[in-house]
Amino acid sequence: MSTTSRGLVLLVNPNKVHPPIAPYALDVLTTSLEAAGFDVEVLDLTFHREDWKSYLAEYFAVRDPMLVGVTVRNTDTVYALEQRPFVGEHKEIITEIKRLTDAPLICGGIGFSTMPFALVDWFGVDYGVKGPGEVIICDLADALVTGRDTATVPGLIRNTPEGVTRVPPTVLTLRHGQAVEPSPTGKFEPRVWQTDGVATYVRRSGTPYKVDNLLYYQRGGLGGILTKNGCSYRCSHCVEPDAKGTRFGRRDVSAVVDEMESLTAQGVLDQHTTDSEFNLSINHAKNLLREIVRRKHADPANPLNELRLWVYCQPRPFDEEFAELLAAAGCRGVNVGSDHVRDDILRGWKVTEKGTSYYDFADTENLVRLCHANGMLTMVEALFGMPGETPESMRACVDAFMALDATVTGFSLGLRLFPYTPMGAAMAERCDGVRTIPGLQSETATGPIVLKPLAKCSGPVEYERQFMFDEHGDFRLVCYFSPELLEDPADAADPTTRWIRPVQQLWDLVDPAEHYRVMLPTLAGSSEYDNNYADNPFLTSLSGHGYTGAFWSHWRERESIMRQTSPIGAAGS
């Protein structure tokens, strides 16, 4: 540890899911904390799935950090047909850390930010952060070092004898410059002030007690890159505007490309954007691509010439210039979340901040055409089961999406509800604490799911908990399927109803001769080609045998790949 250090901060990644995804947030936090004069170390349990307890014990036997941060990337699989929570494992890890050190604990991460008050309470940690954490954790570390009251740290969630509360930000500014009053929960706030848009995040490989980006790339096939934080849209099912912030926090273009260049120089050649969607704020995205192209052309030896870029996009905006810039920058594939073909279903579902639709199916057709014309692969995704979905609307969407001839077409069924998404909050309002809503479902429900709106709860802890736990404290992940998909919609009043028949109907809508290019939802034992990410045999086969890039880019060859390989776990797991 540096002799001039202000103290040691430990960051822990508790995620045990494979194929492994690098904990990008810990690189962001490390960069900011080091710039503020702190030493930072990372304990990554992803590669210590079996010996994590001894790994923690060995560390704390020789280290005494002043603060421990734990990132929670996902609370669960967010997959309605496999309702697998992760926070139970996370709590076990946090409890062990608390046994080994008296240092205060702070939690954050995108998953944590979907229900931060409930998780601070349930984990029994001292602090939490909703949204980007680099500014708040540095302020907290400074308060701990100087003895300043942590109630002076804006945005910090605190676990106090009076309950879990949040220190309000001093000022919040909307797009047009007017101030807005912070809410007690931080719901739908702009969080640009919580980010550092100028810094180049330091990405490392092979350095002890840091995130090992090259190892993650070798075991998972992709490296992450963030070009902006937050999202100004209000799509009904999406957690990101609330969890990450309601304004785009655009990062400095040169800083982002410096980071991408650093990763490629380390051998991380396949990089994917971790923005809410890369093409929202299209001018910023184009400027970033232009800078990549400029550096590639200026120096043939620049490692960016080996870059293989993979991006998430919405169907619009996406014009010919953007497609050409993507291809010139080294983009290999575009994943587009179109969700549906029917305007009546998309209306009020995929919307701008003002509640207006911003694309139609012609935009998806245009995107696929432009990508293929520029040599880029495409994955187009539909999301079935939203309100108003029927077997007829599902058939119309399948027919239209299959006609696109995208490289891969993905069909999902069912929605995981979260406390502050527009749909989750609306369902709580409709239940009003006195009734259930047909279509609310949980694999572990033992009775009707009756949600309470925030105004009828004792506070945000009670409100958020009901989306993850039942009244007895047992896991009960709340999901939704359109009741009109069932042969007898009355069955949807029973939260234990299984949506087996709609899954079978969806499979029947796709010609078996076309299954090679389609990802379909699966039930336990129905297919060896489950498209859920967590501990997926096909994906672990890919990463274990050196395949890189977006996993869907290999989907068409999955049968031959599985014949040639056998699933293997990551070494050291």
Side-chain angles (χ1 to χ4, degrees), residues 217 220-222 270-271 308 310 542 546-554:
Y217 177 58
L222 283 171
D270 293 89
Q271 299 175 27
R308 296 187 289 265
W310 306 84
L542 285 177
Y547 288 88
T548 64
F551 79 91
W552 57 262
S553 67
H554 306 292

Side-chain angles (χ1 to χ4, degrees), residues 421-493:
T421 60
M423 185 176 180
M427 288 293 173
E429 292 287 344
R430 288 178 60 192
C431 287
D432 200 32
V434 297
R435 67 184 69 87
T436 191
I437 301 298
L440 291 182
Q441 191 269 350
S442 178
E443 296 294 321
T444 57
T446 58
I449 298 173
V450 180
L451 301 173
K452 294 167 66 175
L454 178 59
K456 288 195 171 183
C457 292
S458 59
V461 170
E462 181 187 3
Y463 174 67
E464 294 170 6
R465 276 181 64 92
Q466 63 186 335
F467 289 84
M468 176 68 76
F469 305 97
D470 66 14
E471 63 273 20
H472 306 296
D474 298 321
F475 284 119
R476 185 205 61 191
L477 280 60
V478 179
C479 297
Y480 177 86
F481 297 78
S482 170
E484 297 172 81
L485 284 171
L486 293 176
E487 293 177 357
D488 183 356
D491 291 342

